[in-house]
Amino acid sequence: MDNNCKNEGRRDFLKKSTALAALAVASPALVKAGENDEKIAALFEKIPLNIEVNGKAFSLSVEPRTTLLDFIREQLHLFGTKKGCDYGQCGACTVHVDGERINSCLSLAVMNEGKKITTIEGLANGEELHPMQKAFIKHDGFQCGYCTPGQIMSAVACINEGHANSRDEVREFMSGNICRCGAYPNIVDAIMQTKKEGSTHD
Amino acid sequence: MINFEYIRASSVKAAVEALAKNPTGGFIAGGTNLIDLMKRGVTAPTRLIDINNLPLKQVEETSAGLHIGALAINSEVSANDLVKNNYPLLSMAFAAGASAQLRNMATVGGNMMQKTRCSYFYDTAMPCNKRQPGSGCGALQGHNRMHAIFGASDKCIAVHPSDMCVALAALNATVTVSGPKGERKILFTDFHRLPGDKPELDNTLQKGEIITGVIIPKNTFNKNHYLKIRDRASYAFALISVAAALEVSGDTIKKASLAMGGVAHKPWRLTEAEKFLVGKTATKENFSKAADLAIKGAKGYGHNNFKLKMAPIAIVEALMIATGIA
C-alpha cells in the first residue's frame, strides 16, 4: 500500500513534468506570451469525477486529458484492461459503459461522469468465472493473452446486442478486436458456445 | 496529449457561448476522431466543451421527414426500426462504418465533423496543407493509394472517410445548425466542401456554429443498397463505396440518387448518372452506361489509378444488388 502511494506520487510528478515540458515546446499559437501563468494553472486543474466501476462508487479528481483507460489503469489500478494501440484500432481497451462496449482509450474519463463501467475484473461472480471466460479457456481462445480482456468484454456485449447469430455475424461484430496471434477461429468457437448455452450477464 | 480546459455545456446556447469565449477551443461529443488527433499532436484545442448532455439524441419521423439529433449514437440509429424499415440505405451505411465499439461512441454530428484526412495529415513530420496550410501535400507525389479521384486540387487529395455521410448525401438530407447568429439549414451536399485553395476547411460551418441535427425527406426510394469495398472484410475505410437509391415502378426508374465514398474530399454525388437513369428501365446495360457517365472527369494520382477501373464496376454492382438483378 505504502509502495503504491509512493508510485502514485512519482507518476503524478512525472506526468506534471511531462506536461510542463510539452507546454514549453508548444507552438506560439497555443501559448501566447503573458498567458503562461494562467495556462499552467489550468493545466493542473483537476475535475471531480463520480463514477461506478465494477459496482463500486468512486469520487476522485482527474485531469481533463486523462482517458478512461488511463484512469482505470493508473488511478484505480485495475490492470486487466489493456493498452494496445491507444488509438481505437485494436480493441484491447474495450470496457462496458452503462452496458455498451466502447474503446476506453478514446473516451475522456471526465466524459463518463455518473456512468457505470464494467471492466474484465468485474465480469466474474466472485470465484465463479463468467461463462464467456470459461468458454475462452475451454476453446483456447488466446495465445499471448494480451488482447483477451478486450476480446471477452467485446464478446459479452456482442451476444447481449443480439449480434452472435452466426459465425459470420460474430466475425463482423468482433472486427474491432484484433488478435495478432490469430486465435480468431477459437475466439469464434468460444462465443458461439456461450451464445448457444444462453447465459450471459454483465 | 496537451492538457486543456474542460467544460460541460447544459444547453445549445451555453455551448455556443462557451466556444465564442474561447475560439481556440472546440466541441467534443463521442471524441473518437478528436481524441485520436489530440494524442498524435495533430490538433490541440485549449478548451473542450462537452456537449454530450445536450438534448439532441432524438430519432423521430416528422412532417418534414426523419429527424435525427446531432448526438444520436451511430449504433442506435442503425438499429432503430424506423431507420431500418423506412431508410434502409442509411442503416446499411451505418453498419458498414468503423467497429461495434466505435459505433457505440460516435454521434451523427461527430461523424459529419470527422476530418477529411489521409496518413500525411496524421504524420506531423510530413508536409500537409490541411494540417499546416502552405506546407505542401505529401500525398500528391507520395503514397496515394487511398486518395481522391474526383474534385481534388493540387493542395489536397484526401478523401472523407464516412459511410453515413455518403448515404445522407444520396438521401438529400439537410443539416440544421445553431450559432452566434441564430439557426440555419445547410443542404447536406453543401455541408462538406472540396479542397480548392483552402484544404484546411472540411465543411461550410461558420465560426462558432454547432450541428443540431439532420433531416431526411420522406423516403420514396424502394430499391436501396450501400456497397462498400475495402482492404479487409470489416473495420476498414472504403477504397470505394456506393450509396444507390432508386424509385422503381414496374421496370421503370422514376427517381435515382447515387453517391460515392472514398473518392473525394466530400461525399460525391453522381448527378450525370442520376439524370441518365431517370425514365430508363432497370437493366445492367443502362446501369453500365450510367456508370460510364459517372466517372467522366475522374483522375488518378498513381497508386490509386485502380479506383478508375473499380468505380464503374462498383456503381453497376450496387445498382444490380439494389434492384435485385444480381
Side-chain angles (χ1 to χ4, degrees), chain B residues 264-305:
Chain B
H265 199 264
K266 61 184 282 189
W268 189 255
R269 275 287 290 263
L270 310 179
T271 43
E272 291 305 311
E274 292 169 4
K275 270 187 226 159
F276 170 82
L277 285 172
V278 173
K280 303 282 192 310
T281 50
T283 62
K284 187 174 183 180
E285 199 192 352
N286 281 331
F287 295 157
S288 297
K289 283 182 185 165
D292 289 342
L293 286 171
I295 63 144
K296 270 197 180 155
K299 183 185 172 199
Y301 290 88
H303 298 118
N304 71 344
N305 286 353

Short mmCIF file of all heavy atoms in Angstrom, two decimals, chain B residues 264-305:
data_model
loop_
_atom_site.label_atom_id
_atom_site.label_comp_id
_atom_site.label_asym_id
_atom_site.label_seq_id
_atom_site.Cartn_x
_atom_site.Cartn_y
_atom_site.Cartn_z
N ALA B 264 -13.51 11.27 -52.97
CA ALA B 264 -13.39 12.73 -53.00
C ALA B 264 -13.29 13.30 -51.59
O ALA B 264 -13.52 12.61 -50.61
CB ALA B 264 -14.58 13.36 -53.74
N HIS B 265 -13.00 14.58 -51.52
CA HIS B 265 -12.87 15.32 -50.27
C HIS B 265 -14.21 15.40 -49.54
O HIS B 265 -14.29 15.77 -48.37
CB HIS B 265 -12.39 16.74 -50.63
CG HIS B 265 -11.78 17.52 -49.51
ND1 HIS B 265 -12.50 18.42 -48.78
CD2 HIS B 265 -10.52 17.54 -49.00
CE1 HIS B 265 -11.71 18.98 -47.87
NE2 HIS B 265 -10.51 18.46 -47.98
N LYS B 266 -15.30 15.05 -50.24
CA LYS B 266 -16.65 15.06 -49.68
C LYS B 266 -17.42 13.91 -50.31
O LYS B 266 -16.99 13.36 -51.33
CB LYS B 266 -17.33 16.40 -49.99
CG LYS B 266 -17.49 16.68 -51.48
CD LYS B 266 -18.08 18.06 -51.76
CE LYS B 266 -19.58 18.08 -51.53
NZ LYS B 266 -20.22 19.32 -51.99
N PRO B 267 -18.57 13.54 -49.75
CA PRO B 267 -19.40 12.54 -50.42
C PRO B 267 -19.71 13.03 -51.84
O PRO B 267 -20.09 14.18 -52.03
CB PRO B 267 -20.67 12.50 -49.57
CG PRO B 267 -20.25 13.00 -48.23
CD PRO B 267 -19.17 14.02 -48.50
N TRP B 268 -19.52 12.14 -52.82
CA TRP B 268 -19.54 12.57 -54.22
C TRP B 268 -20.83 12.12 -54.90
O TRP B 268 -21.02 10.93 -55.14
CB TRP B 268 -18.32 12.00 -54.94
CG TRP B 268 -18.08 12.53 -56.31
CD1 TRP B 268 -18.32 11.88 -57.48
CD2 TRP B 268 -17.55 13.82 -56.65
NE1 TRP B 268 -17.98 12.68 -58.54
CE2 TRP B 268 -17.51 13.88 -58.06
CE3 TRP B 268 -17.13 14.93 -55.91
CZ2 TRP B 268 -17.04 15.00 -58.74
CZ3 TRP B 268 -16.66 16.04 -56.59
CH2 TRP B 268 -16.62 16.08 -57.99
N ARG B 269 -21.70 13.08 -55.21
CA ARG B 269 -22.96 12.75 -55.89
C ARG B 269 -22.70 12.53 -57.38
O ARG B 269 -21.93 13.26 -58.00
CB ARG B 269 -23.98 13.89 -55.71
CG ARG B 269 -24.78 13.80 -54.41
CD ARG B 269 -25.83 12.69 -54.41
NE ARG B 269 -26.94 12.94 -55.27
CZ ARG B 269 -28.11 13.45 -54.88
NH1 ARG B 269 -28.30 13.76 -53.61
NH2 ARG B 269 -29.10 13.63 -55.75
N LEU B 270 -23.41 11.53 -57.94
CA LEU B 270 -23.21 11.19 -59.36
C LEU B 270 -24.39 11.76 -60.17
O LEU B 270 -25.24 11.01 -60.67
CB LEU B 270 -23.11 9.67 -59.53
CG LEU B 270 -22.12 8.97 -58.59
CD1 LEU B 270 -22.14 7.46 -58.82
CD2 LEU B 270 -20.71 9.52 -58.78
N THR B 271 -24.44 13.07 -60.30
CA THR B 271 -25.63 13.71 -60.87
C THR B 271 -25.87 13.34 -62.33
O THR B 271 -27.02 13.18 -62.75
CB THR B 271 -25.54 15.25 -60.72
OG1 THR B 271 -24.22 15.65 -61.06
CG2 THR B 271 -25.82 15.69 -59.30
N GLU B 272 -24.80 13.21 -63.11
CA GLU B 272 -24.98 12.87 -64.54
C GLU B 272 -25.58 11.47 -64.68
O GLU B 272 -26.48 11.25 -65.49
CB GLU B 272 -23.64 12.96 -65.29
CG GLU B 272 -23.10 14.37 -65.45
CD GLU B 272 -24.10 15.31 -66.10
OE1 GLU B 272 -24.67 14.94 -67.14
OE2 GLU B 272 -24.33 16.41 -65.55
N ALA B 273 -25.10 10.56 -63.89
CA ALA B 273 -25.61 9.18 -63.92
C ALA B 273 -27.07 9.16 -63.47
O ALA B 273 -27.90 8.44 -64.05
CB ALA B 273 -24.76 8.29 -63.01
N GLU B 274 -27.38 9.94 -62.46
CA GLU B 274 -28.77 10.01 -61.97
C GLU B 274 -29.71 10.49 -63.08
O GLU B 274 -30.75 9.89 -63.33
CB GLU B 274 -28.87 10.97 -60.77
CG GLU B 274 -28.16 10.47 -59.53
CD GLU B 274 -28.02 11.54 -58.45
OE1 GLU B 274 -28.55 12.66 -58.65
OE2 GLU B 274 -27.38 11.26 -57.42
N LYS B 275 -29.31 11.57 -63.74
CA LYS B 275 -30.14 12.16 -64.80
C LYS B 275 -30.38 11.13 -65.91
O LYS B 275 -31.49 10.99 -66.41
CB LYS B 275 -29.43 13.38 -65.41
CG LYS B 275 -29.79 14.69 -64.72
CD LYS B 275 -29.18 15.86 -65.49
CE LYS B 275 -28.50 16.83 -64.54
NZ LYS B 275 -27.51 17.67 -65.19
N PHE B 276 -29.30 10.40 -66.25
CA PHE B 276 -29.42 9.41 -67.31
C PHE B 276 -30.42 8.31 -66.95
O PHE B 276 -31.20 7.85 -67.79
CB PHE B 276 -28.04 8.78 -67.60
CG PHE B 276 -28.10 7.60 -68.53
CD1 PHE B 276 -28.18 7.78 -69.91
CD2 PHE B 276 -28.13 6.30 -68.02
CE1 PHE B 276 -28.26 6.68 -70.76
CE2 PHE B 276 -28.21 5.21 -68.87
CZ PHE B 276 -28.28 5.40 -70.25
N LEU B 277 -30.40 7.89 -65.68
CA LEU B 277 -31.19 6.73 -65.28
C LEU B 277 -32.70 7.00 -65.21
O LEU B 277 -33.51 6.10 -65.42
CB LEU B 277 -30.72 6.21 -63.92
CG LEU B 277 -29.40 5.43 -63.93
CD1 LEU B 277 -28.95 5.13 -62.51
CD2 LEU B 277 -29.53 4.13 -64.73
N VAL B 278 -33.06 8.26 -64.96
CA VAL B 278 -34.49 8.56 -64.81
C VAL B 278 -35.24 8.30 -66.12
O VAL B 278 -34.83 8.78 -67.18
CB VAL B 278 -34.69 10.03 -64.36
CG1 VAL B 278 -36.19 10.39 -64.36
CG2 VAL B 278 -34.11 10.23 -62.97
N GLY B 279 -36.30 7.51 -66.03
CA GLY B 279 -37.09 7.17 -67.22
C GLY B 279 -36.61 5.92 -67.94
O GLY B 279 -37.30 5.40 -68.82
N LYS B 280 -35.43 5.42 -67.57
CA LYS B 280 -34.89 4.22 -68.21
C LYS B 280 -35.39 2.97 -67.49
O LYS B 280 -35.88 3.05 -66.36
CB LYS B 280 -33.36 4.24 -68.17
CG LYS B 280 -32.71 5.45 -68.80
CD LYS B 280 -32.69 5.35 -70.31
CE LYS B 280 -31.79 6.39 -70.97
NZ LYS B 280 -31.97 7.77 -70.55
N THR B 281 -35.25 1.83 -68.16
CA THR B 281 -35.57 0.58 -67.48
C THR B 281 -34.35 0.13 -66.67
O THR B 281 -33.21 0.45 -67.01
CB THR B 281 -35.94 -0.54 -68.49
OG1 THR B 281 -34.93 -0.58 -69.49
CG2 THR B 281 -37.30 -0.26 -69.13
N ALA B 282 -34.65 -0.60 -65.62
CA ALA B 282 -33.58 -1.07 -64.73
C ALA B 282 -32.93 -2.31 -65.32
O ALA B 282 -33.37 -3.44 -65.11
CB ALA B 282 -34.16 -1.38 -63.35
N THR B 283 -31.87 -2.07 -66.12
CA THR B 283 -31.13 -3.19 -66.72
C THR B 283 -29.64 -2.96 -66.51
O THR B 283 -29.20 -1.83 -66.30
CB THR B 283 -31.36 -3.27 -68.26
OG1 THR B 283 -30.87 -2.05 -68.84
CG2 THR B 283 -32.82 -3.45 -68.59
N LYS B 284 -28.88 -4.04 -66.60
CA LYS B 284 -27.44 -3.93 -66.42
C LYS B 284 -26.83 -3.00 -67.46
O LYS B 284 -25.90 -2.23 -67.16
CB LYS B 284 -26.79 -5.33 -66.52
CG LYS B 284 -25.32 -5.30 -66.17
CD LYS B 284 -24.69 -6.67 -66.11
CE LYS B 284 -23.23 -6.53 -65.69
NZ LYS B 284 -22.53 -7.81 -65.60
N GLU B 285 -27.38 -3.05 -68.69
CA GLU B 285 -26.86 -2.22 -69.76
C GLU B 285 -26.99 -0.73 -69.41
O GLU B 285 -26.05 0.06 -69.57
CB GLU B 285 -27.62 -2.53 -71.05
CG GLU B 285 -26.88 -2.09 -72.29
CD GLU B 285 -27.77 -2.15 -73.53
OE1 GLU B 285 -28.89 -2.66 -73.44
OE2 GLU B 285 -27.30 -1.64 -74.56
N ASN B 286 -28.17 -0.35 -68.93
CA ASN B 286 -28.38 1.05 -68.54
C ASN B 286 -27.51 1.44 -67.35
O ASN B 286 -27.01 2.56 -67.28
CB ASN B 286 -29.86 1.30 -68.24
CG ASN B 286 -30.66 1.48 -69.52
OD1 ASN B 286 -30.13 1.95 -70.54
ND2 ASN B 286 -31.93 1.09 -69.49
N PHE B 287 -27.36 0.50 -66.42
CA PHE B 287 -26.51 0.79 -65.25
C PHE B 287 -25.06 1.05 -65.71
O PHE B 287 -24.38 1.94 -65.20
CB PHE B 287 -26.54 -0.36 -64.24
CG PHE B 287 -27.90 -0.59 -63.60
CD1 PHE B 287 -28.22 -1.82 -63.05
CD2 PHE B 287 -28.84 0.43 -63.57
CE1 PHE B 287 -29.46 -2.03 -62.46
CE2 PHE B 287 -30.08 0.23 -62.97
CZ PHE B 287 -30.40 -1.01 -62.42
N SER B 288 -24.60 0.25 -66.68
CA SER B 288 -23.23 0.41 -67.18
C SER B 288 -23.05 1.77 -67.86
O SER B 288 -22.02 2.44 -67.69
CB SER B 288 -22.88 -0.69 -68.18
OG SER B 288 -22.92 -1.93 -67.54
N LYS B 289 -24.06 2.17 -68.64
CA LYS B 289 -23.98 3.48 -69.31
C LYS B 289 -23.93 4.60 -68.26
O LYS B 289 -23.19 5.58 -68.41
CB LYS B 289 -25.19 3.68 -70.24
CG LYS B 289 -25.07 2.89 -71.54
CD LYS B 289 -26.27 3.15 -72.42
CE LYS B 289 -26.22 2.27 -73.67
NZ LYS B 289 -27.54 2.23 -74.37
N ALA B 290 -24.76 4.44 -67.22
CA ALA B 290 -24.77 5.45 -66.14
C ALA B 290 -23.41 5.52 -65.46
O ALA B 290 -22.89 6.61 -65.17
CB ALA B 290 -25.86 5.11 -65.13
N ALA B 291 -22.82 4.35 -65.25
CA ALA B 291 -21.52 4.30 -64.57
C ALA B 291 -20.44 4.98 -65.41
O ALA B 291 -19.56 5.67 -64.88
CB ALA B 291 -21.14 2.86 -64.27
N ASP B 292 -20.50 4.79 -66.74
CA ASP B 292 -19.53 5.44 -67.62
C ASP B 292 -19.64 6.96 -67.53
O ASP B 292 -18.63 7.67 -67.52
CB ASP B 292 -19.73 4.99 -69.08
CG ASP B 292 -19.31 3.54 -69.28
OD1 ASP B 292 -18.56 3.03 -68.41
OD2 ASP B 292 -19.74 2.91 -70.27
N LEU B 293 -20.90 7.44 -67.47
CA LEU B 293 -21.10 8.88 -67.31
C LEU B 293 -20.56 9.36 -65.98
O LEU B 293 -19.98 10.45 -65.86
CB LEU B 293 -22.60 9.21 -67.39
CG LEU B 293 -23.25 9.15 -68.77
CD1 LEU B 293 -24.76 9.30 -68.63
CD2 LEU B 293 -22.69 10.27 -69.66
N ALA B 294 -20.76 8.52 -64.94
CA ALA B 294 -20.39 8.92 -63.57
C ALA B 294 -18.91 9.18 -63.43
O ALA B 294 -18.49 10.05 -62.67
CB ALA B 294 -20.84 7.86 -62.58
N ILE B 295 -18.09 8.41 -64.15
CA ILE B 295 -16.65 8.55 -63.90
C ILE B 295 -15.94 9.48 -64.89
O ILE B 295 -14.72 9.59 -64.89
CB ILE B 295 -15.92 7.19 -63.85
CG1 ILE B 295 -16.00 6.46 -65.19
CG2 ILE B 295 -16.44 6.33 -62.72
CD1 ILE B 295 -14.72 5.71 -65.47
N LYS B 296 -16.73 10.16 -65.73
CA LYS B 296 -16.13 11.17 -66.60
C LYS B 296 -15.44 12.22 -65.74
O LYS B 296 -16.01 12.70 -64.77
CB LYS B 296 -17.21 11.84 -67.46
CG LYS B 296 -17.42 11.12 -68.76
CD LYS B 296 -18.16 11.98 -69.76
CE LYS B 296 -18.33 11.18 -71.05
NZ LYS B 296 -19.47 11.64 -71.82
N GLY B 297 -14.23 12.58 -66.08
CA GLY B 297 -13.52 13.61 -65.31
C GLY B 297 -12.74 13.06 -64.13
O GLY B 297 -12.06 13.81 -63.44
N ALA B 298 -12.84 11.75 -63.89
CA ALA B 298 -12.08 11.16 -62.78
C ALA B 298 -10.59 11.17 -63.12
O ALA B 298 -10.21 11.05 -64.28
CB ALA B 298 -12.55 9.74 -62.51
N LYS B 299 -9.75 11.32 -62.09
CA LYS B 299 -8.31 11.41 -62.32
C LYS B 299 -7.56 10.63 -61.24
O LYS B 299 -7.83 10.80 -60.05
CB LYS B 299 -7.91 12.89 -62.27
CG LYS B 299 -6.46 13.13 -62.56
CD LYS B 299 -6.08 14.59 -62.38
CE LYS B 299 -4.56 14.70 -62.50
NZ LYS B 299 -4.00 15.89 -61.94
N GLY B 300 -6.64 9.78 -61.69
CA GLY B 300 -5.83 9.02 -60.74
C GLY B 300 -4.52 9.74 -60.46
O GLY B 300 -4.09 10.60 -61.22
N TYR B 301 -3.87 9.36 -59.35
CA TYR B 301 -2.60 10.01 -58.97
C TYR B 301 -1.46 9.00 -58.88
O TYR B 301 -0.45 9.25 -58.25
CB TYR B 301 -2.77 10.76 -57.65
CG TYR B 301 -3.66 11.98 -57.82
CD1 TYR B 301 -5.04 11.88 -57.70
CD2 TYR B 301 -3.11 13.21 -58.16
CE1 TYR B 301 -5.85 12.98 -57.90
CE2 TYR B 301 -3.92 14.31 -58.37
CZ TYR B 301 -5.28 14.20 -58.23
OH TYR B 301 -6.08 15.28 -58.44
N GLY B 302 -1.65 7.83 -59.47
CA GLY B 302 -0.60 6.81 -59.43
C GLY B 302 -1.07 5.56 -58.73
O GLY B 302 -1.67 4.68 -59.33
N HIS B 303 -0.82 5.53 -57.43
CA HIS B 303 -1.20 4.33 -56.68
C HIS B 303 -2.72 4.09 -56.66
O HIS B 303 -3.17 2.98 -56.42
CB HIS B 303 -0.71 4.43 -55.23
CG HIS B 303 0.78 4.53 -55.11
ND1 HIS B 303 1.42 5.62 -54.56
CD2 HIS B 303 1.75 3.67 -55.48
CE1 HIS B 303 2.73 5.44 -54.60
NE2 HIS B 303 2.96 4.27 -55.17
N ASN B 304 -3.48 5.15 -56.83
CA ASN B 304 -4.94 4.97 -56.75
C ASN B 304 -5.59 4.85 -58.12
O ASN B 304 -6.81 4.93 -58.24
CB ASN B 304 -5.58 6.11 -55.94
CG ASN B 304 -5.57 7.45 -56.69
OD1 ASN B 304 -4.84 7.60 -57.67
ND2 ASN B 304 -6.36 8.40 -56.23
N ASN B 305 -4.79 4.62 -59.16
CA ASN B 305 -5.37 4.50 -60.51
C ASN B 305 -6.37 3.35 -60.61
O ASN B 305 -7.28 3.38 -61.43
CB ASN B 305 -4.27 4.31 -61.56
CG ASN B 305 -3.49 5.60 -61.82
OD1 ASN B 305 -3.86 6.65 -61.31
ND2 ASN B 305 -2.42 5.51 -62.59
#
